[in-house]
Amino acid sequence: MRAFHDPVSIRHDPPGFVVSGRPQPSPERPERVGLLLEGLAQMGARVEVPAPVTLAACEGIHTLRYLTFLSTVVERWARLPGASDVPLPNIHALGRPGLPTPGYPASVVGQVGYHLGDGSSPITADTLPSALAAAGCALAAARAVISAERAAYALARPPGHHASADMAAGFCYLNNAALAAQAVVAAGGRPAILDIDVHHGNGTEAIFYDRADVLTVSLHCDPARFYPFFWGYADETGFGAGEGYNLNIPLPRGTQDDAYLDALDHALARVQAFRPSVLVVALGLDTAAEDPFQAMGITQGGFERIGRAIRATGLPFVIVQEGGYPAPTLAGNLAAFLSAAAP
């Protein structure tokens, strides 16, 4: 299986994130890359550096306004008198039924509140280069599969599935899985996205929610008491032309291998019914029992079973790395999944 990693992705080193109102060290830190590379080494994967991409490559998924914001916000924020070291929102552009659509401010303070959805996505001077490196990995893996490879893996870091068309959130800035799926569409294909991160891929859902040409399916911890809280419920099935093309399968905290694999069977049956030409797997390894989020109990053997189930679909697939945070089992879990999934 071809694997893609860009060393630039390690430069993003977020100062922390907010948990229950308090700043905490971020689990989405550069050492993740070393552990994931160790997992690739365990399975003997050959790692390639993809060609660099620019913001223009992201315009099919993200708005020009948002991409402009990402490319200018650090410099503009630094000019504010007495500003914090990194841009932080002190107001959010919240929409509610019956209220007008939020306007778009010229102020960088207002734009930070418009484009940063939570306290988990600080932006430094190294964030955008790393996010573009991650996007380049996802696009390279997609192009490899479009060009007749049966499977390819993108070590995309920072992750992407919480990033919507115009908002960063949950450690995510550019939506790597969505970019991979859009590349398949652009090549005349029909992609399905299967998100198996412990968190719901709310950004991916939002991007494709009114489209029928991309199926989005997500297995995740029930958002009633888990991030992202406001999205990921079973009654979210799509809108307009996209009605019926989004499937959420929220699972209880502590879900273990057998129950997870039963839910995965349901998810893959919906994928097969869609008759995709390519499956994009948003791979979160944060369902692991040892992951710092401690939300599910998937074992290394469970990841092997998940990989086998995906291979059994017979579909060509692009694997895009999402979550999975520093833990003693992270490298082995990646190796177990990829070894079992590899055609």
Side-chain angles (χ1 to χ4, degrees):
M1 182 186 298
R2 292 177 69 182
F4 297 90
H5 162 62
D6 189 332
V8 172
S9 69
I10 205 168
R11 287 169 46 184
H12 173 61
D13 192 1
F17 75 136
V18 177
V19 182
S20 300
R22 292 186 179 275
Q24 301 286 348
S26 177
E28 208 297 285
R29 53 187 187 265
E31 71 184 80
R32 290 184 66 219
V33 173
L35 293 168
L36 294 167
L37 287 172
E38 181 184 328
L40 290 173
Q42 287 179 20
M43 63 167 296
R46 178 171 59 91
V47 181
E48 306 172 41
V49 178
V53 300
T54 66
L55 284 171
C58 306
E59 290 180 13
I61 290 298
H62 295 287
T63 67
L64 182 58
R65 188 162 66 181
Y66 175 59
L67 297 174
T68 300
F69 166 80
L70 288 178
S71 65
T72 62
V73 62
V74 172
E75 179 184 351
R76 294 168 63 209
W77 187 264
R79 294 200 295 262
L80 290 176
S84 57
D85 292 340
V86 296
L88 295 171
N90 55 271
I91 188 169
H92 288 286
L94 297 176
R96 290 288 189 276
L99 293 179
T101 301
Y104 191 70
S107 160
V108 68
V109 174
Q111 289 179 12
V112 164
Y114 192 96
H115 292 298
L116 300 188
D118 57 29
S120 302
S121 305
I123 299 176
T124 71
D126 292 315
T127 298
L128 183 56
S130 294
L132 284 171
C137 291
L139 288 168
R143 289 168 184 147
V145 171
I146 291 166
S147 300
E149 295 283 342
R150 293 297 298 172
Y153 168 73
L155 202 176
R157 188 269 166 180
H161 72 153
H162 296 304
S164 62
D166 64 354
M167 184 180 295
F171 312 144
C172 302
Y173 305 90
L174 299 174
N175 195 308
N176 306 308
L179 287 165
Q182 187 63 29
V184 174
V185 171
R190 181 175 168 85
I193 300 175
L194 173 67
D195 191 321
I196 54 174
D197 190 276
V198 78
H199 303 95
H200 174 246
N202 57 300
T204 309
E205 175 181 285
I207 287 167
F208 296 114
Y209 203 60
D210 62 353
R211 289 174 54 172
D213 58 340
V214 180
L215 174 72
T216 49
V217 178
S218 179
L219 285 76
H220 49 269
C221 192
D222 191 334
R225 295 184 180 275
F226 198 68
Y227 186 93
F229 297 110
F230 311 113
W231 306 277
Y233 296 90
D235 61 356
E236 297 160 24
T237 57
F239 176 77
E243 177 62 46
Y245 292 91
N246 186 80
L247 173 64
N248 289 330
I249 306 177
L251 299 169
R253 289 192 77 136
T255 294
Q256 298 182 358
D257 292 351
D258 288 345
Y260 192 93
L261 268 293
D262 287 344
L264 181 63
D265 285 345
H266 176 48
L268 291 176
R270 179 67 186 92
V271 167
Q272 294 282 35
F274 180 69
R275 300 174 64 89
S277 61
V278 174
L279 178 61
V280 177
V281 180
L283 173 63
L285 298 169
D286 43 8
T287 53
E290 303 82 5
D291 189 84
F293 280 107
Q294 295 283 291
M296 289 192 186
I298 307 304
T299 66
Q300 185 167 307
F303 284 110
E304 184 178 350
R305 291 169 64 189
I306 294 167
R308 285 203 305 267
I310 289 171
R311 183 182 64 187
T313 65
L315 294 167
F317 52 89
V318 180
I319 301 166
V320 179
Q321 188 66 52
E322 296 289 352
Y325 301 98
T329 58
L330 179 57
N333 289 341
L334 177 63
F337 173 85
L338 291 180
S339 296

